[in-house]
Amino acid sequence: QVQMVESGGGLVQAGGSLRLSCVASGRTFSIYPMGWFRQAPGKEREFVAGISWTGGSTSYADSVKGRFTISRDNAKNTVYLQMNSLKPEDTAVYYCAAASGSRWIETSGLNCDYWGQGTQVFVSS
């Protein structure tokens, strides 16, 4: 059974940091591009960051560029999202995703066929 489990969310003050983790199991996720998306209440899901299967290429939404860093440890089938200088507008449920049939994560998320259950991040002002 394929599983992707996020952790690391929580409540933090503006300006603080959090590190999200996503552990994948059941498939060889080390060969899939992976990414992070988020969805705030009343808003559509949005792309946050993506990383190639080697970890050599990354991309970010403009809203998080310079503050967030995506990385992965293929030996542990884990992808991370280091979030610094958090802002109240970063409040959302964060989801990790993987695309088994693609070389890259589409910002729409439409080519992602594996998703985690989400972890809540709340940033207070």
Side-chain angles (χ1 to χ4, degrees):
Q1 183 179 358
V2 174
Q3 266 197 319
M4 298 179 70
V5 180
E6 302 97 334
S7 63
L11 172 64
V12 65
Q13 287 189 329
S17 298
L18 283 174
R19 188 194 196 203
L20 305 184
S21 299
C22 173
V23 180
S25 61
R27 294 293 294 270
T28 309
F29 283 90
S30 59
I31 62 173
Y32 301 155
M34 298 183 74
W36 288 93
F37 292 78
R38 68 186 181 187
Q39 187 166 21
K43 295 188 177 181
E44 293 186 353
R45 182 184 66 199
E46 65 173 349
F47 171 81
V48 175
I51 188 166
S52 63
W53 75 271
T54 65
S57 296
T58 58
S59 68
Y60 299 91
D62 288 343
S63 59
V64 306
K65 204 170 292 183
R67 300 188 298 122
F68 290 10
T69 303
I70 188 171
S71 60
R72 66 190 297 164
D73 183 340
N74 285 340
K76 297 181 179 179
N77 265 1
T78 302
V79 63
Y80 304 98
L81 185 68
Q82 178 67 44
M83 305 186 295
N84 298 329
S85 301
L86 282 161
K87 304 175 181 180
E89 51 263 45
D90 294 318
T91 294
V93 177
Y94 284 72
Y95 299 90
C96 64
S100 65
S102 304
R103 292 187 175 184
W104 193 246
I105 296 288
E106 294 179 3
T107 57
S108 66
L110 292 178
N111 70 331
C112 296
D113 44 0
Y114 297 110
W115 293 86
Q117 83 291 346
T119 185
Q120 175 73 55
V121 171
F122 186 84
V123 184
S124 64
S125 57

